[in-house]
Amino acid sequence: MKPKIRPAALSAMVLAALGANARQRPNIVFIMTDDHTMQAMSAYDTRFTETPNLDRIAADGVRFTRSFVANSLSGPSRACMLTGKHSHKNGFTNNEHSVFDGSQPTFPKYLQKAGYQTALIGKWHLQSLPTGFDHWEILPGQGSYYQPAFIRQQGDTIRREGYVTNLITDLSLDWLKNQRDKEKPFCLLIHHKAIHRNWMADTCHLALYEDRTFELPANFGDTYEGRPAAEAAEMRIDRDMDLAYDLKLEDQTDAPLADLVPYTMGRMNPDQRRKWDAVYGPIIAEFDSLHLEGKELAEWKYQRYMRDYLKTVKSLDENVGRVLDYLEKEGLADNTLVVYCSDQGFYMGEHGWFDKRFMYEESLLTPLVMKLPEGMSRRGDIDEMVQNIDYAPTFLELAGVEVPEDMQGESLVPLLKGEKPENWRDYVYYHYYEYPAEHAVKRHYGVRTDRYKLMHFYNDIDRWELYDLQTDPQEMHNLYGQPGMEEVQAQMHRRLDEALKRYDDPLSE
Ligand SMILES: [Ca+2]
């Protein structure tokens, strides 16, 4: 005989259970920026700038000291995060030709199915439109710093007045305050356009750092000996950084990328333009009077690059602070996981470069700090090797959703609870595909262990590189094939073979 429960009582019980559940499950605020590197975040590196708000997240929570990406490029990195899978599995290998297959499972879809409300504001950069979100508003492609266009869920594209980092934050706060269903746990992705090239600051930060001179990295004058793929890359500050487009010297009309200037500077309104000219007018005049060449020109460009980049970071830091303040004020902070990361690291003059793509440390690493919800006791540094394919399984486990077998990342929840898991991964696997393309970084893959890194550049080149990160952290000395390295080299090859098989990369066939 079936137990007799009156329908009204039953629904009250179900609602009570759901309500309790909804209160317990933590919210997720996943803040990501573009091309923000550890060297420019004071929780990691205090040489160049202060990022007090980003550092608040780490101070109240955890800082990952060895946080890596699987493919150091915008779209591919985002696809790895959404799916918890390496590029060859999620299909988005490069920005030039890939289109994200939005019908595949992603963490927002799993969370949505589990009763979370999901939203995405800002940069998306995956060619197809977002799926798995209750609400979204995205920048087309890379987006613009001033008066950016946004594609809205209802299908139209509108141009919003203002500076992109402020606007993405305004829209995110508006969703939190006015649009979400407050009965449900939520997962909000705040994905910024900043600090992507061409590093245009908000008008209130234009004068920052103009009196600062930044120390050059020790390997700024790298000559790429023993590293032909590094030599072939076109991302040198002295040769490839564009005076007009990158450094905003608008009178340099014969610079290679000068024709792009109207698409960036041309978007400013008269008030923004006036403030801009007040700062950059004298800089242009100074440059024209100096007639710099060679080393002096390279170093002048480096200083301009550093200043513009760091000004753009400042606005980002302040806007992240607004979100943290809101969560605290509304009593949401205690039960919310706040994640801050970038889609990859970036070169700040190391090897003479800007940009990313390579498996060398500066762009293989990415900042990752988290403020933890109630019940997670870990604080301080987490030194285990983690990767951006780990975010999806982490969010799922936190939400009480079973992590699907085919996700390749590892949930970070045990680390966040303060456990010391045995058998944590002892290498990360990396694979970069976008070649031939801008910046001419050749295709390569490899593994990085605690101490060593093995990389293979392929396609129109066949070269191996091996580094001892303990004795050569700047990766200047390729030890591949060097006497005395036989054992390490053989060991690293075994590791790489194991990684290719483990992650089922077609290269393993
Ligand atoms: Ca990026």
Side-chain angles (χ1 to χ4, degrees):
M1 204 175 134
K2 282 180 192 167
K4 283 182 185 167
I5 300 176
R6 284 178 297 117
L10 178 67
S11 62
M13 282 163 62
V14 170
L15 283 174
L18 280 174
N21 199 20
R23 274 198 302 279
Q24 282 160 9
R25 289 189 297 173
N27 305 306
I28 298 165
V29 174
F30 176 18
I31 307 172
M32 178 161 64
T33 43
D34 197 326
D35 294 357
H36 186 206
T37 192
M38 283 181 176
Q39 302 95 297
M41 178 165 161
S42 49
Y44 286 102
D45 190 334
T46 53
R47 287 175 300 164
F48 303 127
T49 192
E50 296 79 43
T51 50
N53 291 294
L54 303 181
D55 298 1
R56 264 163 81 185
I57 302 172
D60 291 347
V62 294
R63 177 183 82 147
F64 288 86
T65 58
R66 294 196 292 177
S67 145
F68 303 105
V69 294
N71 185 345
S72 186
L73 192 62
S74 174
S77 178
R78 289 155 208 271
C80 290
M81 291 180 193
L82 283 168
T83 60
K85 295 173 186 171
H86 278 283
S87 304
H88 60 275
K89 288 288 181 191
N90 66 50
F92 200 100
T93 57
N94 69 88
N95 284 335
E96 303 242 328
H97 307 292
S98 298
V99 177
F100 187 71
D101 171 10
S103 71
Q104 66 185 306
T106 58
F107 78 79
K109 288 188 187 176
Y110 286 116
L111 292 179
Q112 210 176 23
K113 222 177 278 174
Y116 271 65
Q117 207 174 21
T118 57
L120 158 72
I121 313 283
K123 185 168 175 180
W124 173 247
H125 207 212
L126 289 171
Q127 308 304 330
S128 56
L129 291 176
T131 55
F133 296 96
D134 296 304
H135 172 78
W136 57 263
E137 181 160 339
I138 60 169
L139 302 168
Q142 297 286 6
S144 302
Y145 278 109
Y146 283 95
Q147 274 72 256
F150 283 88
I151 306 171
R152 295 197 291 190
Q153 200 167 6
Q154 57 263 45
D156 61 345
T157 298
I158 59 159
R159 193 162 160 150
R160 293 186 180 275
E161 189 78 11
Y163 182 71
V164 69
T165 309
N166 303 332
L167 289 168
I168 288 172
T169 307
D170 292 345
L171 291 168
S172 300
L173 290 175
D174 183 60
W175 184 79
L176 283 173
K177 285 177 195 165
N178 305 319
Q179 296 183 57
R180 73 187 167 95
D181 176 352
K182 293 190 176 161
E183 299 302 310
K184 288 183 175 177
F186 65 85
C187 174
L188 169 63
L189 278 56
I190 309 175
H191 285 189
H192 286 284
K193 177 222 170 33
I195 311 135
H196 195 276
R197 190 185 188 189
N198 59 347
W199 320 293
M200 289 177 72
D202 193 1
T203 48
C204 58
H205 299 122
L206 289 175
L208 279 178
Y209 305 112
E210 286 299 334
D211 57 349
R212 284 277 302 272
T213 302
F214 297 97
E215 197 182 331
L216 286 160
N219 60 354
F220 185 72
D222 194 354
T223 52
Y224 316 109
E225 202 181 325
R227 290 159 289 147
E231 188 176 10
E234 294 168 2
M235 43 197 258
R236 298 185 198 171
I237 290 173
D238 64 353
R239 184 192 64 193
D240 304 312
M241 184 171 273
D242 194 80
L243 289 170
Y245 175 66
D246 289 318
L247 300 182
K248 300 100 185 169
L249 304 177
E250 290 177 83
D251 62 341
Q252 300 296 314
T253 50
D254 54 350
L257 298 180
D259 57 343
L260 293 175
V261 170
Y263 297 101
T264 53
M265 317 291 277
R267 302 184 72 89
M268 283 185 262
N269 66 30
D271 179 52
Q272 292 161 343
R273 185 73 226 197
R274 189 177 47 74
K275 290 171 176 155
W276 186 278
D277 288 342
V279 176
Y280 284 82
I283 294 167
I284 291 170
E286 183 210 9
F287 181 77
D288 291 343
S289 72
L290 288 171
H291 307 289
L292 299 168
E293 281 178 28
K295 194 167 166 280
E296 282 72 31
L297 176 59
E299 292 183 8
W300 192 90
K301 288 172 83 175
Y302 168 76
Q303 297 298 340
R304 289 259 34 99
Y305 165 51
M306 292 295 283
R307 289 175 191 146
D308 284 358
Y309 183 100
L310 295 172
K311 290 174 195 184
T312 312
V313 170
K314 188 52 84 180
S315 149
L316 176 87
D317 181 71
E318 290 175 3
N319 275 287
V320 170
R322 290 172 62 203
V323 175
L324 298 177
D325 290 346
Y326 175 79
L327 295 174
E328 281 164 20
K329 195 178 80 195
E330 292 300 308
L332 288 164
D334 288 346
N335 200 31
T336 298
L337 172 75
V338 180
V339 175
Y340 178 82
C341 69
S342 175
D343 59 349
Q344 30 37 227
F346 214 67
Y347 297 92
M348 304 305 298
E350 298 88 359
H351 301 284
W353 288 338
F354 63 108
D355 212 66
K356 56 261 181 175
R357 299 162 193 269
F358 276 109
M359 196 190 163
Y360 301 123
E361 289 294 271
E362 291 83 356
S363 53
L364 176 64
L365 286 159
T366 195
L368 178 64
V369 292
M370 296 185 188
K371 188 176 175 306
L372 307 181
E374 283 163 342
M376 299 209 156
S377 57
R378 186 71 183 261
R379 296 291 181 271
D381 283 354
I382 295 181
D383 299 321
E384 276 86 354
M385 288 193 279
V386 304
Q387 205 164 16
N388 57 352
I389 53 171
D390 299 337
Y391 306 170
T394 303
F395 298 155
L396 296 196
E397 186 176 348
L398 205 68
V401 178
E402 199 181 335
V403 179
E405 279 281 302
D406 65 346
M407 273 196 182
Q408 298 182 312
E410 309 289 333
S411 166
L412 304 176
V413 169
L415 301 178
L416 301 180
K417 283 181 174 166
E419 295 166 14
K420 279 270 171 199
E422 282 177 39
N423 305 323
W424 188 258
R425 71 159 71 84
D426 54 7
Y427 62 82
V428 288
Y429 175 65
Y430 180 89
H431 198 154
Y432 171 83
Y433 299 80
E434 193 176 280
Y435 181 87
E438 190 180 13
H439 298 300
V441 175
K442 295 183 188 296
R443 296 182 192 198
H444 61 290
Y445 59 95
V447 281
R448 183 211 194 272
T449 64
D450 185 43
R451 178 163 179 185
Y452 297 102
K453 189 183 289 180
L454 177 68
M455 306 153 73
H456 183 219
F457 292 89
Y458 70 102
N459 186 238
D460 64 350
I461 186 174
D462 179 12
R463 290 294 289 244
W464 291 88
E465 295 186 10
L466 175 68
Y467 296 97
D468 182 343
L469 299 168
Q470 207 172 80
T471 60
D472 179 25
Q474 296 176 333
E475 298 161 288
M476 300 291 283
H477 307 290
N478 179 10
L479 300 173
Y480 197 85
Q482 297 295 309
M485 294 309 294
E486 296 81 1
E487 204 175 309
V488 169
Q489 194 169 302
Q491 214 174 66
M492 289 300 286
H493 269 289
R494 282 197 295 276
R495 275 290 160 73
L496 181 58
D497 291 344
E498 186 190 315
L500 289 167
K501 282 203 191 72
R502 176 178 172 182
Y503 293 117
D504 196 27
D505 189 304
L507 283 176
S508 64
E509 287 161 9

